[in-house]
Amino acid sequence: MEDGQNAIKILARDEAFYFKNNVGATEDQKCDWLSCESERVSKDLDQLTLDPHQLKYLKGCALNVGNKYNLKAEEILIDAAKMNPTMFEIWNELGDCIWKKGDKKGARNCFERALNQERNKVSLRNLSIVMRQQESVTNAEIEESVKISKEAVSLDVTDGTSWYILGNAYLAQFFLCGQASNDLKCSLNAYSKASADEKVLSDPDYHYNKGIVFKYLDDYNNAIAHFTDAISIHPQFSECLSELNDLKDQILKTRQLIKNKGKLKGKNIAVMLRKLKEKSLSQKPTKVSMTTFDKLNAGTNEDKAINCILISSFVPNGRTPFVCICLDTESNCFALNIYNIDCGKAPKLGDVMTVPYPQKSAVNIVIDNELNDFEMLRIDTPLNMMINNRQLPRETLAPLKLTTTALT
């Protein structure tokens, strides 16, 4: 049994490192290679002296390596489960196999049956993933997904894959449960611990997901670095390439609009500033001190707020954040990224915004041999804002939609 498991581990490792060891290879080339190698390992297993259910289990594992569904693997694993329904490893492998053909309900049933036999990290982390990939997911299920991922980590704190899955669970919680930036920080912490595993580091999805975290933390340098790493491992990673290009376009457009003050002429800017100052004077006293952009500290300003007027806006590639180009009462021009907002109910040109607890950061990055340096603010929820001295209703919220590119 051990010899067979080792052969499959070697195959799985070679599959994980395929693009790293075969620079420039295509997805089709990888599929052809894996198909041949899986069949070879499966046939070699016949030389071992094993119980029938063990042999079928290992053959199913060999044919199930990779992200593509294999009908033969499913049939063999079903036979193995019938022979020994108490072996949780068989249920885990069968669940992983039928998951690849899109049967998430069946996969979840397999992982739960495995857990009925023994609490194990593979079942826990796979159940965590499949729970948050359902068509309709509640906040409670996302929170349970995080809890289950934590349990998987607790069973083996040295397992990089478990840390990676926990990082993904926190990322899903960010997207689906209110976009709390603390979820991103928890995700980043889990990813950092996962990085001790060389296999995780070779996974382009790891770098892609980590890049997404940095992007939504407005840390564009690290986001671009990880998107670039993912593409260097897997040059045909189209989703990642799209994210990278979209982010570069967002940075370039933001910088240009700040530099040109929203392309407004001097007369229009004067009108905007006069409206901003009038609104600011009529504003009721707030619990935090009002200030201007240049007096904000880097990071979160928990005891301050800023009044500004919207002079331009855009939504990168129709997604998020809602990027505002603003002026404050001292004519400072800067970007404000608003998350978790319904763009149909977002601020409009000429609206005066009161932004409490603004988070300030700097962008300093070279794109196409040109330095892009500017400062910006972010706010995680529009419910903390006021527009034209009015609090925004809850209907203004619009949670992000989470899409997945892999089974993690």
Side-chain angles (χ1 to χ4, degrees):
M1 181 74 168
E2 186 177 348
D3 289 342
Q5 289 175 323
N6 288 335
I8 291 163
K9 285 180 181 178
I10 292 171
L11 176 61
R13 180 180 175 82
D14 289 345
E15 189 272 340
F17 285 86
Y18 183 83
F19 287 117
K20 184 176 181 180
N21 296 332
N22 297 271
V23 178
T26 66
E27 191 69 44
D28 287 341
Q29 287 173 323
K30 179 182 177 181
C31 287
D32 291 342
W33 166 84
L34 182 58
S35 178
C36 292
E37 286 298 297
S38 296
E39 288 288 349
R40 179 187 63 77
V41 172
S42 178
K43 290 178 181 178
D44 289 347
L45 291 170
D46 288 326
Q47 308 304 315
L48 302 177
T49 303
L50 298 167
D51 290 337
H53 73 274
Q54 292 177 326
L55 178 60
K56 285 186 176 292
Y57 162 65
L58 291 175
K59 281 180 168 287
C61 288
L63 296 172
N64 191 43
V65 171
N67 290 328
K68 301 293 184 181
Y69 167 67
N70 187 305
L71 175 61
K72 187 176 178 181
E74 181 185 0
E75 292 172 345
I76 292 173
L77 290 167
I78 288 174
D79 287 343
K82 289 177 179 177
M83 291 177 178
N84 187 356
T86 64
M87 185 175 171
F88 73 85
E89 293 91 344
I90 297 176
W91 291 113
N92 279 338
E93 200 68 30
L94 178 58
D96 181 71
C97 181
I98 63 176
W99 191 357
K100 292 169 186 175
K101 71 173 181 180
D103 185 1
K104 296 174 185 176
K105 184 177 179 180
R108 179 171 180 168
N109 179 60
C110 288
F111 300 140
E112 289 174 341
R113 291 191 69 166
L115 287 170
N116 287 337
Q117 304 303 321
E118 183 178 321
R119 302 297 286 185
N120 67 92
K121 62 184 181 182
V122 175
S123 298
L124 288 166
R125 65 195 186 202
N126 284 347
L127 181 59
S128 168
I129 301 167
V130 78
M131 282 180 68
R132 60 179 184 268
Q133 287 190 356
Q134 298 172 115
E135 291 184 6
S136 180
V137 187
T138 65
N139 285 11
E141 287 171 321
I142 292 295
E143 291 167 2
E144 181 66 17
S145 170
V146 172
K147 181 181 177 181
I148 291 172
S149 292
K150 287 181 178 178
E151 184 181 351
V153 167
S154 72
L155 292 177
D156 183 1
V157 295
T158 66
D159 191 310
T161 299
S162 294
W163 281 111
Y164 174 44
I165 301 306
L166 177 58
N168 289 350
Y170 276 120
L171 182 56
Q173 186 164 266
F174 166 78
F175 277 98
L176 300 173
C177 300
Q179 297 176 40
S181 56
N182 187 60
D183 286 332
L184 293 178
K185 293 171 184 175
C186 289
S187 178
L188 197 57
N189 180 59
Y191 287 151
S192 295
K193 293 182 178 179
S195 67
D197 188 328
E198 188 180 2
K199 182 180 177 182
V200 172
L201 281 179
S202 72
D203 186 348
D205 284 317
Y206 163 79
H207 293 284
Y208 172 77
N209 289 339
K210 197 169 183 180
I212 291 292
V213 172
F214 280 121
K215 173 186 172 181
Y216 286 107
L217 284 171
D218 295 336
D219 185 342
Y220 299 148
N221 289 69
N222 275 314
I224 287 176
H226 279 281
F227 289 151
T228 302
D229 285 344
I231 293 167
S232 69
I233 296 170
H234 185 5
Q236 287 79 40
F237 197 163
S238 57
E239 294 91 344
C240 189
L241 185 60
S242 177
E243 282 286 354
L244 177 60
N245 290 333
D246 287 348
L247 180 54
K248 287 182 177 180
D249 289 344
Q250 177 185 336
I251 293 169
L252 293 171
K253 188 170 184 178
T254 301
R255 175 184 175 271
Q256 193 63 30
L257 286 171
I258 292 174
K259 182 179 178 181
N260 296 334
K261 292 196 172 182
K263 299 181 180 180
L264 292 181
K265 296 181 179 179
K267 182 178 179 180
N268 291 331
I269 291 175
V271 171
M272 291 284 194
L273 288 174
R274 185 162 59 248
K275 179 180 179 181
L276 171 60
K277 291 175 182 177
E278 289 173 355
K279 287 285 185 182
S280 298
L281 288 173
S282 65
Q283 186 178 41
K284 295 179 180 178
T286 62
K287 295 180 181 179
V288 293
S289 60
M290 303 302 300
T291 188
T292 53
F293 181 78
D294 54 316
K295 292 184 174 61
L296 292 172
N297 299 319
T300 303
N301 293 264
E302 296 181 354
D303 58 344
K304 296 178 180 177
I306 183 173
N307 283 333
C308 54
I309 191 164
L310 180 64
I311 61 172
S312 185
S313 66
F314 68 98
V315 182
N317 199 29
R319 291 182 291 185
T320 197
F322 184 76
V323 181
C324 303
I325 307 301
C326 307
L327 290 174
D328 69 5
T329 54
E330 296 298 319
S331 298
N332 295 306
C333 189
F334 56 91
L336 167 65
N337 286 356
I338 306 176
Y339 289 89
N340 202 23
I341 192 168
D342 182 339
C343 292
K345 300 180 177 65
K348 296 179 174 57
L349 184 68
D351 279 345
V352 173
M353 300 178 288
T354 302
V355 183
Y357 330 119
Q359 302 171 55
K360 187 177 184 180
S361 61
V363 175
N364 195 308
I365 191 167
V366 175
I367 299 175
D368 297 333
N369 298 318
E370 184 177 358
L371 177 64
N372 293 269
D373 57 335
F374 55 88
E375 292 184 303
M376 57 188 291
L377 302 180
R378 71 174 281 146
I379 186 166
D380 291 335
T381 171
L383 297 185
N384 289 334
M385 298 173 56
M386 288 196 297
I387 295 181
N388 299 322
N389 294 339
R390 293 182 179 181
Q391 204 75 38
L392 297 180
R394 190 163 189 81
E395 293 74 32
T396 310
L397 292 175
L400 298 176
K401 293 182 179 179
L402 176 65
T403 58
T404 57
T405 59
L407 296 179
T408 52

